[in-house]
Amino acid sequence: MLEHLTTESRNEKTMSLDEMGTLEFLEVMNEEDIKVAHCVKKELPQISKAVEMIVEAMNKNGRLIYMGAGTSGRIGLLDAVECPPTFNTDPSEVVGLIAGGEKAFIKAVEGAEDSFELGPEDLKKIELTNRDVVVGIAASGRTPYVIAGLEYANQVGAGTVSISCNKGSEIGKIAKVAIEVVNGPEVLTGSTRLKAGTSQKLVCNMLSTASMVGVGKVYGNLMVDLQLTNEKLVERAKRIIMDATDCSYEIADEFLEKAHAQPKIAIVMILTNVSYEEASNRLVKAQGFIRKTI
């Protein structure tokens, strides 16, 4: 029942919220938000297990698939859509599913999250395989859409991860790796878009970023696989090449052009003094890791 969930309990600090001054309330809210990162820290061992599962899947051409309803679904979608521009992944490699479909990102679709049929249906539509990893996100840990999706993923033999904000969650019992970040009561009772949503975003940031590091999408702390979709990103790519190779702006500009706007290849060309074709071949052999080409 909802009343037993931490995410639904009342916060003693804000029992008189409607009588508090604006600054007073914001100070309390800020104090509560500060706790979130510490709560996530407690789950790092589980998050690490999930990352290892995702890296293994991606090395076998598997996908990272987020699924959730409402705020949880939107957070998964946000993380998924940022992966192509940041890491030059194909949109099919990191997928975000939300109960009710893409239109639910903007406006809630009545009854979608309560459906035990929609979760498996959405996974069947994208042809889920045993090479994939499904990350089910639900603050309460009891959303039917996510429960049924994870159960189906287990049947298929896919990797399964849960992200919830209650201990002993229903989805945690189903997933092979359970991440349960308990942030305590929200300042506005039951409004899980607040601390719960923040913690879910932090965890998704970790899952995608650490996984991309694990499959060779970075060099040092540089995002060498970014897509150059606008002038700002073109200039960022040149700075990345300069930082990675200690070259001048002019050299970075020259080699970015020679590398057909692919910063990673430009970096290998400069560091190893080889042609575009050779740099490309070396990266393939090194499974995308620049450091292994040197």
Side-chain angles (χ1 to χ4, degrees), residues 80-89 223 225-229 233:
V81 300
E82 288 294 339
C83 284
T86 307
F87 301 109
N88 199 25
T89 56
M223 49 179 172
D225 258 329
L226 80 165
Q227 288 182 356
L228 311 188
T229 55
L233 294 178

Side-chain angles (χ1 to χ4, degrees), residues 7-272:
T7 48
E8 297 294 326
S9 58
R10 297 186 70 184
N11 193 313
E12 294 293 330
K13 296 180 181 178
T14 56
M15 296 295 277
S16 301
L17 175 58
D18 56 337
E19 298 179 295
M20 296 170 74
T22 301
L23 181 58
E24 180 187 5
F25 167 61
L26 294 178
E27 287 174 342
V28 172
M29 189 171 184
N30 181 241
E31 288 170 3
E32 290 294 295
D33 286 341
I34 288 170
K35 298 175 182 179
V36 175
H38 296 289
C39 295
V40 171
K41 183 177 182 179
K42 296 176 183 177
E43 290 299 297
L44 289 180
Q46 292 298 98
I47 297 170
S48 180
K49 289 179 184 177
V51 170
E52 290 169 1
M53 180 186 290
I54 295 164
V55 170
E56 183 179 355
M58 288 185 164
N59 283 331
K60 296 177 180 177
N61 296 318
R63 297 168 292 178
L64 166 57
I65 301 164
Y66 292 116
M67 67 183 310
T71 297
S72 297
R74 295 182 187 100
I75 287 168
L77 271 170
L78 279 173
D79 202 63
V81 300
E82 288 294 339
C83 284
T86 307
F87 301 109
N88 199 25
T89 56
D90 187 274
S92 65
E93 291 181 70
V94 183
V95 180
L97 301 176
I98 184 169
E102 290 182 2
K103 60 182 179 293
F105 188 87
I106 298 172
K107 184 178 180 181
V109 175
E110 186 175 351
E113 73 172 70
D114 296 326
S115 170
F116 282 100
E117 290 76 35
L118 286 179
E121 284 178 11
D122 284 350
L123 291 172
K124 289 175 184 176
K125 285 177 184 176
I126 63 169
E127 299 180 342
L128 181 74
T129 75
N130 59 7
R131 296 191 305 274
D132 302 322
V133 174
V134 176
V135 178
I137 313 172
S140 67
R142 60 188 294 278
T143 305
Y145 174 81
V146 179
I147 289 173
L150 288 172
E151 288 176 338
Y152 174 72
N154 279 338
Q155 291 170 16
V156 171
T160 50
V161 177
S162 66
I163 304 174
S164 69
C165 298
N166 287 289
K167 282 296 179 187
S169 65
E170 291 301 311
I171 60 174
K173 295 172 185 175
I174 298 167
K176 293 166 185 172
V177 177
I179 300 168
E180 297 178 329
V181 185
V182 181
N183 305 286
E186 301 287 3
V187 293
L188 183 63
T189 306
S191 184
T192 52
R193 69 187 181 87
L194 301 177
K195 288 193 298 184
T198 300
S199 65
Q200 290 171 336
K201 183 66 172 75
L202 290 176
V203 173
C204 288
N205 285 348
M206 289 179 170
L207 294 181
S208 58
T209 306
S211 295
M212 293 302 165
V213 172
V215 295
K217 292 289 187 178
V218 305
Y219 178 54
N221 62 354
L222 301 172
M223 49 179 172
V224 293
D225 258 329
L226 80 165
Q227 288 182 356
L228 311 188
T229 55
N230 58 48
E231 189 58 36
K232 179 192 74 174
L233 294 178
V234 170
E235 290 304 308
R236 179 178 292 167
K238 293 174 186 176
R239 293 198 305 273
I240 287 171
I241 294 169
M242 292 166 66
D243 288 338
T245 65
D246 198 27
C247 73
S248 67
Y249 179 89
E250 290 73 24
I251 293 294
D253 182 46
E254 175 188 347
F255 275 84
L256 186 60
E257 184 175 349
K258 288 181 178 179
H260 308 295
Q262 298 173 80
K264 179 184 272 188
I265 293 179
I267 291 167
V268 175
M269 290 174 69
I270 295 170
L271 290 177
T272 60

Side-chain angles (χ1 to χ4, degrees), residues 255 258-259 264-283 293-294:
F255 275 84
K258 288 181 178 179
K264 179 184 272 188
I265 293 179
I267 291 167
V268 175
M269 290 174 69
I270 295 170
L271 290 177
T272 60
N273 193 28
V274 298
S275 66
Y276 170 81
E277 290 75 16
E278 177 62 21
S280 300
N281 290 335
R282 288 193 183 194
L283 277 168
T293 68
I294 303 169

